[in-house]
Amino acid sequence: MIVRKPSSLAAAILVLLVAVAFLAIGMLRSFKVYDAKADDFGVQVFTRVPEYKMVYLATYSGAERQKDKLVSTEDPNAPSTGGKKACPT
Protein backbone atom coordinates (compact mmCIF):
# COMPACT_ATOMS: atom_id res chain seq x y z
CA MET A 1 0.00 0.00 0.00
CA ILE A 2 1.33 3.40 -0.98
CA VAL A 3 1.08 6.07 1.69
CA ARG A 4 1.14 9.65 0.42
CA LYS A 5 1.73 12.82 2.34
CA PRO A 6 -1.25 15.17 2.59
CA SER A 7 0.82 17.91 0.92
CA SER A 8 1.44 15.80 -2.21
CA LEU A 9 -2.26 14.94 -2.40
CA ALA A 10 -3.16 18.63 -2.11
CA ALA A 11 -0.64 19.47 -4.85
CA ALA A 12 -2.12 16.82 -7.15
CA ILE A 13 -5.65 18.14 -6.57
CA LEU A 14 -4.46 21.70 -7.22
CA VAL A 15 -2.82 20.67 -10.52
CA LEU A 16 -6.01 18.86 -11.54
CA LEU A 17 -8.17 21.91 -10.75
CA VAL A 18 -5.85 24.22 -12.69
CA ALA A 19 -5.98 21.88 -15.72
CA VAL A 20 -9.79 21.77 -15.60
CA ALA A 21 -9.90 25.58 -15.30
CA PHE A 22 -7.68 25.99 -18.37
CA LEU A 23 -9.89 23.61 -20.36
CA ALA A 24 -13.03 25.51 -19.32
CA ILE A 25 -11.48 28.86 -20.27
CA GLY A 26 -10.43 27.44 -23.63
CA MET A 27 -13.95 26.21 -24.33
CA LEU A 28 -15.52 29.57 -23.49
CA ARG A 29 -12.99 31.84 -25.21
CA SER A 30 -13.59 33.02 -28.77
CA PHE A 31 -11.80 35.24 -31.26
CA LYS A 32 -12.97 37.73 -33.87
CA VAL A 33 -11.85 36.61 -37.33
CA TYR A 34 -12.42 39.31 -39.93
CA ASP A 35 -13.29 38.60 -43.56
CA ALA A 36 -10.55 39.44 -46.03
CA LYS A 37 -12.85 41.88 -47.87
CA ALA A 38 -15.01 44.63 -46.41
CA ASP A 39 -18.70 44.74 -47.29
CA ASP A 40 -20.26 47.30 -49.67
CA PHE A 41 -20.16 50.09 -47.09
CA GLY A 42 -16.55 49.53 -46.02
CA VAL A 43 -17.47 47.83 -42.76
CA GLN A 44 -15.22 44.97 -41.67
CA VAL A 45 -17.37 41.88 -41.14
CA PHE A 46 -16.19 39.35 -38.57
CA THR A 47 -17.12 35.93 -37.30
CA ARG A 48 -16.62 34.73 -33.72
CA VAL A 49 -14.59 31.54 -33.77
CA PRO A 50 -14.17 29.40 -30.63
CA GLU A 51 -10.64 28.50 -29.60
CA TYR A 52 -10.89 24.84 -30.60
CA LYS A 53 -11.78 25.86 -34.18
CA MET A 54 -9.10 28.56 -34.13
CA VAL A 55 -6.43 25.92 -33.64
CA TYR A 56 -7.58 24.24 -36.84
CA LEU A 57 -7.86 27.51 -38.79
CA ALA A 58 -4.43 28.75 -37.73
CA THR A 59 -2.75 25.41 -38.40
CA TYR A 60 -4.07 25.07 -41.93
CA SER A 61 -3.64 28.75 -42.90
CA GLY A 62 -7.33 29.56 -42.51
CA ALA A 63 -6.60 32.64 -40.39
CA GLU A 64 -3.61 34.95 -40.58
CA ARG A 65 -2.59 37.88 -38.43
CA GLN A 66 -2.51 41.12 -40.43
CA LYS A 67 -1.46 44.15 -38.44
CA ASP A 68 -3.60 43.89 -35.29
CA LYS A 69 -6.39 41.62 -36.57
CA LEU A 70 -6.98 37.98 -37.46
CA VAL A 71 -8.10 37.79 -41.08
CA SER A 72 -9.80 34.74 -42.58
CA THR A 73 -8.45 33.23 -45.77
CA GLU A 74 -11.37 30.78 -45.92
CA ASP A 75 -14.92 30.64 -44.61
CA PRO A 76 -14.78 29.26 -41.04
CA ASN A 77 -18.46 28.25 -41.17
CA ALA A 78 -18.22 26.33 -44.44
CA PRO A 79 -18.69 22.58 -44.17
CA SER A 80 -15.50 20.58 -44.45
CA THR A 81 -14.71 18.88 -47.73
CA GLY A 82 -14.33 15.58 -45.96
CA GLY A 83 -10.70 15.11 -46.92
CA LYS A 84 -7.68 15.91 -44.83
CA LYS A 85 -5.52 18.86 -45.76
CA ALA A 86 -1.78 18.54 -45.79
CA CYS A 87 -0.14 20.19 -42.80
CA PRO A 88 1.85 23.28 -43.92
CA THR A 89 4.72 22.48 -41.59
Side-chain angles (χ1 to χ4, degrees), residues 15-29 51-52:
V15 168
L16 180 65
L17 290 175
V18 168
V20 169
F22 283 146
L23 287 172
I25 290 169
M27 289 175 63
L28 298 175
R29 187 173 174 192
E51 188 161 0
Y52 67 91

Side-chain angles (χ1 to χ4, degrees), residues 48-59 76-77:
R48 288 214 172 262
V49 178
E51 188 161 0
Y52 67 91
K53 284 188 179 182
M54 178 54 80
V55 172
Y56 178 81
L57 285 175
T59 302
N77 295 324

Side-chain angles (χ1 to χ4, degrees), residues 27-28 43 58 60-61 66:
M27 289 175 63
L28 298 175
V43 176
Y60 294 106
S61 302
Q66 293 180 0

Side-chain angles (χ1 to χ4, degrees), residues 45-82:
V45 178
F46 67 88
T47 304
R48 288 214 172 262
V49 178
E51 188 161 0
Y52 67 91
K53 284 188 179 182
M54 178 54 80
V55 172
Y56 178 81
L57 285 175
T59 302
Y60 294 106
S61 302
E64 297 175 349
R65 183 171 294 280
Q66 293 180 0
K67 296 182 183 175
D68 203 16
K69 297 179 182 177
L70 292 171
V71 178
S72 176
T73 57
E74 62 182 40
D75 184 12
N77 295 324
S80 66
T81 58

